[in-house]
Amino acid sequence: MLTLESSYATDLDDQFRIVWEGADVPDPRVILLNAALAAELGLDVGRLGSRDGAELLSGMRAPDGSRPVAQVYAGHQFGGFSPRLGDGRALLLGEIRDSCGRRWDLHLKGSGPTPFSRGGDGKAVLGPVLREYLMGEAMHALGVPTTRGLAALVTGEEIVRQGGPKPGAILARVASSHLRVGTFEYFAARGDDDRVRRLVDYSLERHDPALLEAEDPALELFRAVRDRQATLVARWMGVGFIHGVMNTDNTAISGETIDYGPCAFMDAYDPATVFSSIDRNGRYAYGRQPSVMQWNLARFAETLLPLFDVEDRDAAAALATDEVGRFGPLFLEEWTRVMRGKLGLGDGPPGEVPAGEPAGATDDDARLAGDFLDLMAADGVDFTSGFRALSDVLRGDPGPVRSLFEHGAPLDAWLARWMARLDAEGADRATRAAAMDRANPIYIPRNHLVEETLDAAEEDLDLGPVEALIDVLSDPFTRRPGLGRYAEPAPSDFGPHVTFCGT
Ligand code: AMP
Ligand code: MG
């Protein structure tokens, strides 16, 4: 029913992982199953959802071909280096090979303690497991690269957490790999250049096979990761996503969003927004995400210094500085592409827009987008609603956007500038309005809705609300009747939102 490959366990030696097993749990049951993802991966949904499937997806029994391992990694957490983190509550079961021959990691979170648990219990509880599943599906539907939940399970255990006992749960997630910047840092910190080199090759095999034959594979890997991360963070910024814990162990080589702990979507636009209870200094605030990613990439480049194909250490450092420095302009280019899509400029939303913008357009358009953001910040306008309302202006109705802003005159001046810019592109307004509606979601995982649905699941084991929310978020761009509630910002009595890490 589920046959895996185990390249990470077998191609890499025992310094990279510890062969391990999931803990036995009393009554594993699959409570959410991602039928669309299962179908993409060629998996049998019916069997995955059965008792048999639950035993495999809980880690109690290994699927055929699986050699479950806990992966080792290090990481910079809030700026400080931890030389040994690793999977403390997770297991890599192995890799699924899809019909195109691509390998996907199947990974369990909450499968019990491992030698990396550092005093933790190795378990996960239902709320955070559902949160990660829901957030991943929302991001996927928004067109943001992400790991995805294949299944959520309850274990039949009660897990004691602050605030009392909670239902024990496990997330089975799929990612194009679980290689992290922190994986490289683990070996680099030990001066083990041979294993860093091995990791470069393995990463290229998984993600960039065309670069394996490059003259300087380490440099090419760095560039590929940097470019993917520039795209990723630009996409986050475009949907108001705040990761919340951008440590280097949560920065994936694949360029996918990974580890949905304290993440949340911004309501009123304010670049200083932070939701995570542990991020007291706002290190991972919305507006800091690009510079944090550049910092993380600098840590990544440091691990590769001894491998760069240059004459000496100084030359390697100079090369790294230069390559890391390229992140700034690359990010700006990607961000401008995202914002142009949101403003109806060019041919459509990111992903639909071909690379290579018209000369001269970029700086002005970045400024135009930045000025709109400033107006939203000044009036505390909801990020998602503010952008979504713009397409109505092109349909001749500035009412919705005006109703969101306190100050009419600066908004009207900006709208006039924006319309002039659109007209200069000679765009058909109806076509542009439709393209904008594919770039500006109407439904995002609003904090109050996420909270409400997860509470229902944790307290009453009522999965109806979370399933309904996942369903709404699976098509975030199309307005549907009866879903008005899902598009509204939080009621004013919801109060400041605070999120908590992981378990
Ligand atoms: P995270 O904040 O989820 O990225 O986790 C950071 C590190 O803490 C990773 O090494 C995790 O494996 C570990 N960790 C988090 N929660 C637990 C837990 N309940 N038991 C053991 N290890 C944990
Ligand atoms: Mg993590």
Side-chain angles (χ1 to χ4, degrees), residues 73 180 249-250 259:
Y73 51 86
R180 307 147 189 265
D249 50 302
N250 294 335
D259 281 357

Side-chain angles (χ1 to χ4, degrees), residues 72-260:
V72 71
Y73 51 86
H76 277 87
Q77 302 179 301
F78 291 91
F81 187 59
S82 299
R84 189 172 186 267
L85 292 168
D87 286 334
R89 54 167 163 169
L91 280 183
L92 175 65
L93 284 188
E95 301 121 32
I96 300 164
R97 202 181 270 275
D98 70 16
S99 57
C100 306
R102 285 189 61 179
R103 267 185 278 154
W104 297 90
D105 275 7
L106 178 56
H107 177 98
L108 307 180
K109 200 162 176 175
S111 47
T114 76
F116 301 115
S117 296
R118 295 174 298 144
D121 61 4
K123 305 281 183 176
V125 298
L126 187 56
V129 161
L130 293 176
R131 196 160 201 290
E132 172 152 350
Y133 186 108
L134 179 147
M135 287 290 185
E137 285 310 282
M139 294 287 265
H140 176 73
L142 288 166
V144 183
T146 180
T147 65
R148 293 179 73 186
L150 174 65
L153 295 91
V154 286
T155 60
E157 282 181 316
E158 287 217 316
I159 309 289
V160 179
R161 287 285 183 267
Q162 277 177 338
K166 304 275 185 196
I170 294 174
L171 179 73
R173 84 177 170 194
V174 169
S176 65
S177 85
H178 285 80
L179 300 164
R180 307 147 189 265
V181 167
T183 320
F184 287 77
E185 287 179 294
Y186 176 81
F187 294 105
R190 297 154 62 104
D192 189 346
D193 297 345
D194 287 342
R195 286 198 174 82
V196 177
R197 187 171 287 113
R198 185 68 198 90
L199 213 40
V200 167
D201 287 344
Y202 184 78
S203 301
L204 291 174
E205 281 161 27
R206 289 293 295 262
H207 300 294
D208 307 282
L211 300 177
L212 274 168
E213 300 306 320
E215 259 175 46
D216 191 341
L219 177 61
E220 293 305 332
L221 175 67
F222 177 78
R223 288 177 173 156
V225 173
R226 176 198 61 199
D227 296 0
R228 284 195 280 271
Q229 290 293 345
T231 306
L232 178 67
V233 178
R235 300 267 170 103
W236 288 356
M237 302 304 275
V239 294
F241 176 77
I242 303 169
H243 183 282
V245 60
M246 286 176 71
N247 296 334
T248 54
D249 50 302
N250 294 335
T251 301
I253 299 306
S254 65
E256 290 170 333
T257 313
I258 189 170
D259 281 357
Y260 293 90

Side-chain angles (χ1 to χ4, degrees), residues 481-502:
L483 300 184
R485 196 174 98 78
Y486 290 96
E488 293 291 320
S492 53
D493 62 359
F494 182 61
H497 185 57
V498 180
T499 58
F500 299 92
C501 248

